[in-house]
Amino acid sequence: MEKPLLTGKRVLLIIAGGVAAFKSLDLIRRLREQGAAVRCVLTEGGAAFVTPLSVSALSEDKVYTSLFSLTDEAEMGHIQLSRDADLLLVVPATADIMAKMAAGLATDLATTALLATDKPVMVVPAMNVRMWEHAATQANVATLELRGVLRVGPVEGDMACGEYGFGRMVDVPDIVAAVSAHFKGDSNPLKGRRAMVTSGPTYEAIDPVRYIANRSSGKQGHAIAAALAGLGAQTTLISGPTKLPDLAGVTTVHIESARDMLVACEAALPSDIAICAAAVSDWRMASEAVQKLKKHGGEPPDLTLTENPDILKHLSGPGPRRPQLVVGFAAETENVVANARAKIDRKKCDWILANDVSPDSGVFGGDANTIHFINADQAEAWPKMSKTDVAARLAARIAAHLNGKP
Ligand code: C5P
């Protein structure tokens, strides 16, 4: 007989305070059926929905509830509790607990364990649709994902509060499947692959103190680098100046100009995957002034521009070092699909993710994106989603493509 999928795995299940907490009871049984040892932390809010007694009976273990319990600390300190597990699983992950995780708060046993752990963390969000869509929650989720926290769901559906939309927790079998996939290594389908991602704006010097730039935030490119690294790719992020922190598990090369970006890209070759998400300045000064340009009371200076190298086109060009998959972005204000197709022809890249950046789209600097995925024979409209979800979807598609799945 085959061994159950989770034999020998230790899961620390953190049950937070949401209506979906009752599903964690079934989850404990299903995880244990698959061979996992499940130890539970119940938050104060969680205990309003499920009793410590049921949790303890189902897990056949003690339930941990309080940070300052002397007996608990004597038997099993909170640091050890967080590290004894192979995976920390937060079900349901409420808006509140994810906000605390993103902020690094350690106000109770659950958040302290989450902050103290050196093990993978998976969150399974469940909340009202407005709470899920709130900019604060989306920003917190993005922060957690950039730090490598795994996420399952939420999905669209009816909610306990009577509303309909995104925020509903995935079903228990889906959580067990995600946990199993994590342990099976399915979460590392890009292991052994090299990836490079350009991100952010470029700065083109006018003189020693002034420059030409654009409003790119780097959020999309950074999220893609995090997603590729999350799937196991050895990832180099070549980033123009942004306000974003460097990503854990990603090699970040900071550059300013398009020409520097090109040099850094060359240095990152060979690479299996190249994603050009940077908003590279099309032009730079024909000749950069060595000294600060002065007002002389007469005519303003003549800023003669010259074209920058096209990095995407350069990387897509034929040769032994061409990455197996080169992906570009197209920011369009009209005829999104047709213009993106023309761009594939012109630049010889493999895929284009085209987005509408017309002034009312909110893409620049925002957290959401509406993408058209385009390659030689497909044009697919993706629903509006967060930039982290775009990144996850793209990374999964890249993994499937390189591993020969349709
Ligand atoms: O030509 P356009 O700027 O619309 O093309 C956008 C795509 O090309 C993006 O993927 C961008 O990162 C890339 N690009 C580049 N180098 C440039 C200009 C654009 O890599 N100089």
Side-chain angles (χ1 to χ4, degrees):
M1 212 178 79
E2 257 187 54
K3 272 201 306 184
L5 286 170
L6 299 174
T7 302
K9 301 297 178 206
R10 291 161 307 169
V11 175
L12 184 68
L13 177 63
I14 296 176
I15 306 172
V19 189
F22 76 93
K23 290 194 187 171
S24 62
L25 296 178
D26 188 32
L27 178 64
I28 298 171
R29 295 179 50 179
R30 303 295 160 220
L31 288 171
R32 294 192 65 211
E33 268 172 18
Q34 292 300 326
V38 184
R39 175 164 274 164
C40 299
V41 171
L42 188 60
T43 66
E44 204 181 324
F49 294 92
V50 293
T51 68
L53 203 56
S54 343
V55 175
S56 167
L58 286 165
S59 63
E60 290 189 75
D61 198 350
K62 179 178 167 38
V63 181
Y64 294 81
T65 49
S66 167
L67 182 56
F68 301 113
S69 154
L70 265 183
T71 19
D72 285 1
E73 281 298 306
E75 285 170 14
M76 158 86 71
H78 59 269
I79 306 277
Q80 198 192 337
L81 183 67
S82 76
R83 298 199 182 156
D84 256 10
D86 299 305
L87 175 72
L88 273 66
L89 181 61
V90 187
V91 182
T94 57
D96 176 73
I97 201 164
M98 290 195 292
K100 286 178 177 149
M101 288 166 74
L105 293 180
T107 47
D108 60 4
L109 180 60
T111 47
T112 305
L114 286 160
L115 195 60
T117 194
D118 56 357
K119 295 294 169 11
V121 176
M122 184 183 283
V123 293
V124 186
M127 69 196 72
N128 164 274
V129 55
R130 299 268 166 272
M131 291 170 80
W132 171 252
E133 286 177 353
H134 196 286
T137 305
Q138 288 301 311
N140 291 333
V141 169
T143 301
L144 295 180
E145 285 182 354
L146 287 178
R147 289 187 199 140
V149 169
L150 307 162
R151 172 165 67 84
V152 190
V155 289
E156 201 174 8
D158 290 317
M159 340 214 107
C161 55
E163 285 188 50
Y164 181 90
F166 272 95
R168 192 184 151 85
M169 192 165 93
V170 297
D171 291 330
V172 168
D174 295 326
I175 306 176
V176 177
V179 171
S180 304
H182 167 72
F183 284 121
K184 248 172 63 194
D186 281 9
S187 52
N188 277 333
L190 291 175
K191 205 170 170 145
R193 308 273 187 183
R194 288 169 57 97
M196 55 192 277
V197 182
T198 70
S199 183
T202 61
Y203 283 8
E204 310 298 333
I206 295 172
D207 65 16
V209 297
R210 303 182 180 95
Y211 56 83
I212 302 168
N214 62 66
R215 293 184 196 282
S216 168
S217 66
K219 285 180 184 172
Q220 186 63 82
H222 279 55
I224 291 168
L228 292 171
L231 295 190
Q234 189 188 328
T235 307
T236 302
L237 173 66
I238 298 147
S239 176
T242 74
K243 296 195 181 98
L244 302 172
D246 283 358
L247 302 168
V250 169
T251 306
T252 304
V253 182
H254 295 277
I255 53 85
E256 288 209 337
S257 71
R259 284 182 297 172
D260 293 345
M261 185 172 269
L262 179 60
V263 170
C265 285
E266 284 281 347
L269 291 173
S271 184
D272 302 289
I273 306 156
I275 316 283
C276 292
V280 183
S281 173
D282 289 320
W283 303 285
R284 65 173 188 277
M285 290 284 285
S287 63
E288 180 188 329
V290 182
Q291 304 296 337
K292 184 180 169 198
L293 296 174
K294 296 275 184 215
K295 280 180 290 193
H296 296 297
E299 288 289 302
D302 184 15
L303 302 184
T304 306
L305 302 177
T306 185
E307 204 158 314
N308 261 330
D310 189 320
I311 298 163
L312 175 61
K313 194 169 175 182
H314 181 83
L315 292 172
S316 302
R321 278 152 70 88
R322 186 198 194 274
Q324 198 177 333
L325 185 67
V326 185
V327 182
F329 273 76
E332 304 288 350
T333 53
E334 55 179 359
N335 300 331
V336 176
V337 175
N339 286 341
R341 274 261 153 72
K343 197 158 290 181
I344 291 190
D345 284 348
R346 210 167 50 244
K347 303 210 186 197
K348 309 291 178 225
C349 58
D350 302 297
W351 299 352
I352 287 263
L353 299 198
N355 48 8
D356 181 354
V357 290
S358 51
D360 52 358
S361 69
V363 167
F364 262 100
D367 291 312
N369 224 343
T370 308
I371 293 285
H372 293 263
F373 171 90
I374 291 146
N375 61 21
D377 40 40
Q378 269 178 303
E380 208 179 273
W382 291 0
K384 182 173 180 182
M385 60 180 90
S386 69
K387 288 180 178 174
T388 46
D389 282 348
V390 168
R393 192 161 174 160
L394 174 63
R397 188 149 198 149
I398 290 171
H401 177 78
L402 294 183
N403 294 328
K405 297 189 191 129

